[in-house]
Structure formats: C-alpha cells, structure tokens
Amino acid sequence: MRLRALLETTSLGLRLLSGEDELDRTVRGVMTTDLRDPSRYLSGGELVLTGLAWRRDASDTEPFVRALVGAQVAGLAAGEAELAGIPDDLVQSCARHRLPLFAVDEDVAFATITEHVVRQVSSERAGDLAAVVERHRRMMASGPTGGGPEVVLDLLAGDLDLRAWVLSPTGRRIAGAGPGSDAPTLPPEVRARLAGEHLAAVRSGRRGPY
C-alpha cells in the first residue's frame, strides 16, 4: 500500500507534517518503537510509529531520523500525546531528509493504525500470490499440448514485459521471436556468444548464462 492511502483514511487520524512529495512510497509493514536507534529491527519499507519517549531534547532528533532514513523506512508517524504536539525540530529534520512525517491524533491508538496497515498489506500480498498462481496455471496449461514454449514466452512478454528466447547448446533458436516478428530478435552473434559461454561453463562446472 502507499503512504497516500493512509493519509486519505480519515479514521486513522493522520496529519501530514512533511514529505508531501514522498507519498507514493510503498508501505510493507509497520513497527512501533521508542528506541533511540531502532534501525537493527528494521528491514525497509516500514511505517514507524513512535510516542516520542526517546526524545529527551532536540539533540536526540537528528540521530533518530538519520537512523530511520538509513534503514529506508517508508515514513514516520509520531503521537501527539506525550509532548502535547510534534516538536518543530522533528518536523525540520524529517523535511531535510525527505522522510514523510505524520502526526497521530492522541485519540487514535497505535494499535488501530497497525491493524489497518497489516490488513491492507496482507490483502495486497494475497492478491499478488493469487496472480502468481494464476500465471503459473496459465504457463502449465501452455505446455507441450497447449502450444509449447512459444506460448509460455508470449505469456512472459505480455504479463511481465520480459523478452526471452530458448536456445539449443549450439546457439540455435528453439523458441522466441524470430525473423519476421514485430518483437526484437536475438542477433546471431549474441546467440553464438551465449553458446560459447554455455559450453565453457559446462566444461568448468560453473553455472551457464541466462
């Protein structure tokens, strides 16, 4: 899901304070923390929720924001209850580092935001998995009795925008766009080079080219 979608969900009580140009970032998870440096527990793409208990004074702000930016989080949402508002130094630091910053209304529980993000991300992942399964089904149905490798390669080109060819060990084109096709062809010199690399890999026990 995108940060923009969170901002547009009025029930979450989020108010944008910085990072208007970064709202198309993808949110892949959510983490609640008040650690001064939570980077070791972040993998990237998270919406970080914080109650600001880590902030003793303004000097703590820059290291905290830098840690989040270094961990490549999607954004930061800070609760207003602890300090009766969001400190200006946090707003300015997030703006400098282009880190989207949201204020969370004190009447909204972090659990509400967490549940919403987890539900949306899980739903999107389920949709992605369903698409993968459907693509796999179509490819299997396009096997030897359903059109052979040409149909599979057409699916790759149409669904994934991935141009591919099947070559013999000698570089002969078995499947994929050939002469007379509107799609790009694989030049003979490239096929010859790939065949040579394949033969060298077989002789040395290395993985061949793809």
Side-chain angles (χ1 to χ4, degrees):
M1 68 178 304
R2 306 286 183 180
L3 285 174
R4 190 179 307 280
L6 289 173
L7 188 62
E8 293 170 351
T9 306
T10 56
S11 61
L12 297 182
L14 297 178
R15 191 173 74 258
L16 184 65
L17 301 180
S18 73
E20 184 175 358
D21 295 335
E22 305 291 333
L23 291 179
D24 285 328
R25 291 188 182 187
T26 300
V27 179
R28 297 185 175 87
V30 62
M31 176 189 180
T32 299
T33 185
D34 275 314
L35 294 174
R36 298 178 65 186
D37 182 1
S39 57
R40 72 185 70 179
Y41 304 109
L42 297 166
S43 58
E46 294 92 348
L47 174 68
V48 175
L49 306 176
T50 181
L52 299 176
W54 51 266
R55 183 185 180 278
R56 295 167 301 185
D57 55 49
S59 65
D60 292 329
T61 297
E62 186 72 9
F64 179 79
V65 171
R66 285 184 176 178
L68 298 187
V69 171
Q72 298 182 328
V73 304
L76 173 65
E80 296 183 303
E82 181 75 16
L83 302 178
I86 307 302
D88 289 340
D89 52 88
L90 180 58
V91 177
Q92 294 165 5
S93 181
C94 287
R96 277 196 303 273
H97 293 282
R98 303 180 65 85
L99 177 65
L101 172 64
F102 303 90
V104 182
D105 190 278
E106 60 183 76
D107 293 330
V108 177
F110 282 178
T112 300
I113 300 174
T114 299
E115 290 170 4
H116 178 84
V117 171
V118 170
R119 186 166 56 249
Q120 293 298 316
V121 171
S122 297
S123 176
E124 290 179 3
R125 286 176 178 169
D128 291 343
L129 178 59
V132 170
V133 171
E134 172 61 16
R135 186 175 292 118
H136 183 266
R137 184 196 66 78
R138 290 167 59 194
M139 288 184 174
M140 291 302 98
S142 301
T145 61
E150 291 286 1
V151 177
V152 175
L153 297 183
D154 285 344
L155 284 172
L156 288 173
D159 287 6
L160 302 180
D161 194 23
L162 176 64
R163 182 60 55 190
W165 294 262
V166 177
L167 304 179
S168 75
T170 61
R172 179 175 59 85
R173 185 184 64 84
I174 296 174
S181 171
D182 293 334
T185 60
L186 196 63
E189 59 270 20
V190 175
R191 289 190 276 116
R193 178 175 57 79
L194 289 172
E197 291 179 4
H198 170 75
L199 181 60
V202 170
R203 288 174 173 170
S204 63
R206 295 181 288 105
R207 292 182 61 183
Y210 292 93

